[in-house]
Amino acid sequence: MLNKLLFHRFPNIKSWLTRLQYELVSTFDKDKNAIFMNFGYTAHHKENNLLPLAAEDEIHRYPMQLYHHVAKSIEWNNMDALEVSSGRGGGANFIMRYFKPKSYTGVDFSTRAIEFCREHYSLDGLKFHHGNAEALSFPDNSFDVVLNVEASLYYPNITKFFEHVKRVLKPNGYFLYTDLRYEEKVEIWHAQLKNMGLKLIKEEEITENVLKAMEMDRERRMQLVDKYVPAILRKSFYHFAGLTPDLPDGMPHLDNRRYWYFVLQKI
């Protein structure tokens, strides 16, 4: 409870601790078992069809389905794309293989994550750079698509990030964006998005879909924490992964946060 109060009053503490956890993931996991850092998505509990995946991708089904849900609203042919906070590159690799844009650049603050991506992915047109979401170094009008998945809640200054997104997008380019916020901050967050000056094409609350994916993927996520994280740090990482194994039902949680998905366009 004390941690939660501190995080609400001093969000930079939470940002710093979360960045430290991301760095530790790259320290603990030297292979490709933890290449996605998002909570996942599913709709097949609503009688929707499962996303067809290659056999080797099945283990990452739910995080991949979140990327698919974010990416499917636009046509990717001949697109130059930028993912801000690309993490360990699972989403970048997925979109390059399944949607086939002309190029895809991943940017992340973690030097370990960028090193991992450069070592593990070798697709034509896919590249990774170290960078800061609030100070993107690319020229104006550089990309047809900017994508950001479950990362901006930890940015100290979301307005700076949104300004850079608008700046680096080409005219008619798309901002594909999904993230979560505490219930009491959702209205402010939506207002910040509106102030970007981009055209809102689509918005959708997907909290139920994310929670269901977390439930269905729970065992795999727990096994990853148990395998890679030292015992003294596991409780923190369980919470980081949205898990509560010490409670009687052990169900996944979002800490009273709501999850949304947006498609915006620079007109």
Side-chain angles (χ1 to χ4, degrees):
M1 183 65 179
L2 177 60
N3 284 346
K4 190 171 182 179
L5 288 172
L6 284 172
F7 290 163
H8 274 292
R9 293 188 63 184
F10 305 103
N12 284 348
I13 294 177
K14 186 168 187 177
S15 176
W16 179 82
L17 289 173
T18 302
R19 291 187 176 203
L20 177 60
Q21 285 175 307
Y22 273 110
E23 290 284 3
L24 288 173
V25 168
S26 288
T27 300
F28 299 148
D29 178 19
K30 300 298 184 182
D31 50 33
K32 294 174 71 174
N33 287 322
I35 59 173
F36 288 91
M37 306 299 289
N38 70 69
F39 287 138
Y41 174 93
T42 188
H44 71 267
H45 62 298
K46 300 178 180 178
E47 300 184 356
N48 289 39
N49 293 329
L50 281 172
L51 173 67
L53 292 174
E56 64 270 20
D57 292 333
E58 189 62 39
I59 190 173
H60 302 296
R61 165 166 293 283
Y62 298 103
M64 282 185 171
Q65 286 180 170
L66 181 62
Y67 269 88
H68 180 269
H69 188 71
V70 171
K72 69 181 182 180
S73 294
I74 67 169
E75 176 57 57
W76 286 80
N77 288 343
N78 297 315
M79 292 289 198
D80 293 310
L82 170 69
E83 181 178 356
V84 182
S85 298
S86 52
R88 289 166 61 81
N93 182 57
F94 169 77
I95 289 181
M96 279 298 293
R97 290 189 292 119
Y98 282 79
F99 288 91
K100 304 185 185 308
K102 182 170 67 175
S103 71
Y104 196 104
T105 301
V107 170
D108 201 89
F109 69 87
S110 170
T111 54
R112 287 192 180 97
I114 295 301
E115 290 168 2
F116 174 90
C117 291
R118 289 173 174 171
E119 291 173 3
H120 285 82
Y121 305 112
S122 57
L123 295 173
D124 289 343
L126 178 60
K127 51 188 178 292
F128 297 92
H129 298 288
H130 180 261
N132 185 336
E134 298 170 10
L136 296 173
S137 59
F138 303 98
D140 296 358
N141 307 315
S142 296
F143 297 97
D144 301 290
V145 183
V146 175
L147 185 139
N148 186 255
V149 174
E150 200 178 302
S152 71
L153 70 163
Y154 300 120
Y155 297 167
N157 191 326
I158 192 70
T159 300
K160 285 185 179 179
F161 166 60
F162 286 157
E163 289 172 352
H164 278 278
V165 169
K166 183 177 181 181
R167 181 184 63 77
V168 302
L169 272 175
K170 298 177 183 178
N172 299 315
Y174 292 97
F175 179 32
L176 307 180
Y177 179 48
T178 192
D179 211 344
L180 64 168
R181 291 292 187 277
Y182 285 102
E183 291 179 352
E184 65 270 22
K185 295 186 179 289
V186 168
E187 186 176 347
I188 295 171
W189 180 36
H190 282 234
Q192 291 170 326
L193 268 173
K194 183 178 180 180
N195 288 339
M196 285 184 73
L198 302 183
K199 179 181 179 181
L200 179 64
I201 304 296
K202 182 176 183 179
E203 63 177 350
E204 176 188 12
E205 183 176 353
I206 58 173
T207 306
E208 179 187 346
N209 305 82
V210 173
L211 281 169
K212 188 64 176 179
M214 293 168 69
E215 177 186 341
M216 300 179 80
D217 201 28
R218 179 176 178 272
E219 291 303 319
R220 182 188 70 88
R221 299 166 77 87
M222 287 186 64
Q223 289 170 8
L224 284 174
V225 173
D226 292 343
K227 179 178 180 179
Y228 291 108
V229 179
I232 194 173
L233 297 175
R234 282 179 193 160
K235 186 173 182 179
S236 174
F237 272 82
Y238 284 138
H239 191 270
F240 180 58
L243 302 170
T244 52
D246 53 334
L247 296 181
D249 59 3
M251 293 300 289
H253 65 87
L254 289 175
D255 270 349
N256 296 316
R257 294 176 293 185
R258 312 303 295 178
Y259 211 118
W260 284 77
Y261 158 58
F262 306 90
V263 180
L264 300 105
Q265 188 175 24
K266 181 177 178 179
I267 302 298

